[in-house]
Amino acid sequence: GMIVRQNIIFESGYPKTPDSSVIEARKVAATQASWDNHAAAFVASDVDKILLDYTEDSVITVTDFTTNVNAVFTGLDGVRDAFTALFAYLAATDGAFPSSLEVPDLTVEAGQVFLIWRAVAAGVVHATDTFITDENGKFITQTVTVWTAADKPLLTGESVDLNAAVPGTAAQAHWDNHLDAFATGDIEKMVLDYREDAQIIEWDFATDTKIVSTGIAGVRDLFPKYFGWAGECGDNLDVGLPTIRVTESYIYLHVVFPCAGIPLWTDTFIL
């Protein structure tokens, strides 16, 4: 039963698979290239240049928290419509854009861009975007949430229902577990949905402050604060989730938490 012969055949000389650090660097570079183009196009209100960073599979979800109206734009025609309308909105106040544009925070990473911005004189009091890229660095998913001036809403009229679920998937299972963990204040249950390399960015518009929590340790440090807010509300607890959009690649939420002094809260999870 011992080996007496062994024949090994292969053809060498092909490019070697890069290590993970090289792959990560390439993803960051692709995302950065898309962002650099997008930022230049945005300031110039150049829709054709904007389109270079999207594909026919791209989906942009926009919410105006001032009117509680949602809109969804799909494909390159949808992207064109979304930015044509946004640039017209920003230009409607003479001289306000791009002169009033501020970007308090920008994070560009492999696979995503996280953005905090405002253009108060043009009507955008607060805004946040999360861009999720495909393997080529193109923006395949974008969630946009804006708080607009009361006398100058961005979105009005009929609203799209963003609620969605994907039963039987890992994404739905993680969301169901996360929601139950949050509702019960169970940190051991909460950490089950995060990877060791996970990162959570929290931004408070009231103070323009940012907290970054990393890894399982970061999850353990952050969530007791939220559990504490719920506990302080006591019998007045009124947290609600009017929008829960679960897909296989991301989860997007609208949260109301008035008893904690937070009337509106948005949350995007990348899976």
Side-chain angles (χ1 to χ4, degrees):
M2 306 297 288
I3 297 171
V4 295
R5 299 285 190 280
Q6 180 178 357
N7 304 313
I8 301 174
I9 300 93
F10 56 79
E11 182 181 2
S12 64
Y14 287 87
K16 296 181 179 179
T17 301
D19 63 33
S20 59
S21 63
V22 173
I23 294 173
E24 183 80 0
R26 288 175 180 172
K27 289 181 178 178
V28 172
T31 304
Q32 186 70 57
S34 290
W35 171 252
D36 290 344
N37 181 78
H38 183 89
F42 191 83
V43 171
S45 297
D46 187 336
V47 176
D48 289 332
K49 190 176 178 70
I50 286 277
L51 289 173
L52 298 176
D53 303 312
Y54 295 83
T55 77
E56 285 294 355
D57 295 321
S58 298
V59 179
I60 303 176
T61 301
V62 183
T63 295
D64 187 336
F65 265 163
T66 298
T67 57
N68 285 320
V69 174
N70 310 311
V72 177
F73 302 90
T74 60
L76 292 176
D77 286 344
V79 174
R80 180 179 292 279
D81 290 345
F83 281 98
T84 298
L86 177 58
F87 292 150
Y89 169 88
L90 294 170
T93 304
D94 287 343
F97 185 83
S99 60
S100 68
L101 178 64
E102 298 178 35
V103 181
D105 194 69
L106 170 65
T107 300
V108 179
E109 301 175 309
Q112 81 137 347
V113 177
F114 171 72
L115 176 67
I116 297 291
W117 65 280
R118 61 175 65 98
V120 176
V124 180
V125 180
H126 303 302
T128 179
D129 290 46
T130 295
F131 304 75
I132 304 172
T133 66
D134 65 11
E135 64 276 8
N136 298 311
K138 301 297 185 181
F139 300 138
I140 198 72
T141 300
Q142 182 180 353
T143 61
V144 185
T145 310
V146 297
W147 288 250
T148 53
D151 61 349
K152 191 186 177 186
L154 173 63
L155 298 179
T156 59
E158 187 175 352
S159 181
V160 175
D161 183 4
L162 298 180
N163 286 286
V166 282
T169 65
Q172 189 67 52
H174 280 302
W175 167 248
D176 292 343
N177 182 78
H178 182 91
L179 181 59
D180 185 66
F182 195 94
T184 58
D186 188 338
I187 193 63
E188 298 305 323
K189 193 175 181 71
M190 181 66 72
V191 299
L192 298 177
D193 300 311
Y194 291 85
R195 299 190 335 192
E196 189 53 59
D197 62 347
Q199 175 181 269
I200 304 172
I201 297 175
E202 176 196 89
W203 183 272
D204 185 347
F205 278 121
T207 56
D208 273 354
T209 54
K210 175 182 180 180
I211 296 174
V212 179
S213 302
T214 57
I216 300 302
V219 176
R220 290 186 180 278
D221 288 342
L222 179 64
F223 276 92
K225 175 174 69 176
Y226 303 143
F227 299 158
W229 290 352
E232 290 170 5
C233 289
D235 294 339
N236 295 320
L237 183 63
D238 54 5
V239 64
L241 290 92
T243 295
I244 304 174
R245 184 176 184 84
V246 182
T247 77
E248 293 194 60
S249 59
Y250 75 97
I251 300 168
Y252 177 64
L253 308 178
H254 297 164
V255 183
V256 294
F257 206 167
C259 67
I262 303 174
L264 291 167
W265 156 340
T266 183
D267 213 332
T268 300
F269 305 71
I270 301 175
L271 306 176

